[in-house]
């Protein structure tokens, strides 16, 4: 046996720079996002909340990206399905539940916006708006400011493939390419813009659009967190070297309906959903960890118990927390607002 044969082959997570503990933490966060999402769907069906936009099926790419970025300096501009991303960069389940229940303590908007409109000043999560893709030029603007100030950080923005046809996406990409800005632009291609399948949305591939703006694009398997982690990590390193933006198209599948007001079986079959459920990144990654010898079914069962306790606590807290008062309506509307309205 030669020297190469005698050495054990490195696990994939080691090859991309993750320790065993980090690889497990990534799985924990993916599962937490999934269990949170499932609980909120139950709350909506029980009449406890009004509306939910689910991200089931998209957690692997979201969490992997969060782990590849620097949570202490980078800026995050998520879109409305990114529970995995915001949890991975520091938001708590309690904070998300406060948003779901539209309570006054909600750090996203004080209970003023729909769930999924993430915003957290301390974590540099920039609040999005209802019009889709407006976050792309915002991310580009943050990257421009960072370059002008000489700051070593990137801005990271996500969106769905349907909104990649909006002008904000193209204008943002063009400006970022011209000025070689430190921004990572990631499309979460979940195959459906509400009810419109990908083949009726886009001619060609989204990733190929990067070439027209003068920067690289990469298409990745969004169900493979290690692949996403590596590509986002390399894109960040490229940006910090002054080499400009990167477009990433993460291929995935939305396993849940577009929202709780959507009947997805009106435009896709159960067989199609089941076929894609078999490709779900969470159970596949769990099996990878088991095969790598760093995880077990017993540990997984215990983790599910722990996550249920966290979600139960957050649900109870969010349910009992007070709603915003009518007097708070004008708070934060004008610059210099204080309690009671405009100064």
């Amino acid at each position: 046996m030669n020297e190469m044969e005698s050495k054990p082959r490195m696990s994939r997570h080691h090859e991309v720079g993750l320790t065993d503990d980090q690889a497990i933490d990534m799985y924990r966060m993916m599962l937490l996002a999934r269990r949170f999402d499932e609980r909120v769907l139950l709350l909506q069906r029980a009449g406890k909340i009004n509306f939910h936009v689910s991200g089931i099926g998209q957690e692997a790419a979201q969490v992997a990206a969060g782990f590849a970025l620097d949570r202490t300096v980078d800026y995050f501009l998520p879109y409305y399905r990114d529970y995995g991303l915001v949890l991975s960069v520091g938001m708590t389940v309690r904070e998300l539940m406060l948003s779901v229940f539209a309570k006054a303590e909600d750090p996203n908007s004080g209970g003023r916006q729909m769930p999924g409109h993430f915003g957290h000043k301390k974590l540099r999560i920039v609040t999005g708006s209802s019009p889709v893709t407006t976050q792309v030029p915002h991310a580009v603007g943050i990257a421009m400011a960072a370059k002008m100030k000489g700051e070593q950080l990137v801005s990271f923005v996500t969106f769905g493939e349907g909104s990649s046809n909006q002008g904000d996406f193209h204008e943002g990409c063009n400006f970022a390419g011209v000025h070689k800005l430190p921004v990572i632009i990631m499309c979460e291609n979940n195959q459906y813009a509400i009810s419109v399948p990908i083949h009726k949305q886009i001619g060609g591939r989204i990733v190929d659009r990067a070439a027209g703006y003068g920067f690289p694009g990469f298409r990745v398997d969004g169900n493979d967190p290690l692949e996403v982690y590596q590509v986002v990590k390399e894109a960040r390193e490229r940006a910090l070297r002054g080499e400009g933006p990167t477009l990433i198209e993460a291929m995935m599948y939305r396993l849940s309906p577009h929202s709780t007001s959507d009947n997805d079986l009106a435009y896709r079959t159960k067989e199609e959903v089941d076929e894609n459920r078999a490709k779900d990144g969470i159970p596949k990654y769990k099996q990878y960890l088991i095969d790598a010898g760093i995880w077990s079914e017993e540990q997984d069962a215990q983790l599910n118990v722990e996550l249920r306790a966290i979600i139960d606590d957050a649900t109870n807290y969010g349910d009992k927390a007070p709603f915003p008062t009518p007097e708070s309506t004008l708070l934060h509307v004008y610059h210099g607002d204080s309690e009671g309205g405009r100064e």
Side-chain angles (χ1 to χ4, degrees), residues 3 92 130 184 222 312:
E3 184 180 358
T92 67
S130 292
I184 302 170
D312 284 347

Side-chain angles (χ1 to χ4, degrees), residues 82-95:
D82 274 330
Y83 300 103
L85 174 62
V86 298
L87 284 168
S88 70
V89 300
M91 287 197 74
T92 67
V93 181
R94 268 195 180 189
E95 289 173 330

Side-chain angles (χ1 to χ4, degrees), residues 324-343:
T325 62
E327 294 76 20
S328 71
T329 303
L330 294 180
L331 284 177
H332 314 300
V333 175
Y334 302 101
H335 177 68
D337 279 349
S338 62
E339 292 295 334
R342 192 175 185 180
E343 288 183 343

Side-chain angles (χ1 to χ4, degrees), residues 43 47-49 94 97-103 105 311-323:
L43 290 170
K48 299 288 288 184
I49 65 168
R94 268 195 180 189
M97 278 296 183
L98 286 165
S99 175
V100 164
F101 282 103
K103 296 304 179 71
E105 293 178 60
I311 293 168
D312 284 347
D313 168 77
T315 303
N316 293 333
Y317 187 87
D319 191 22
K320 295 175 182 177
F323 286 102

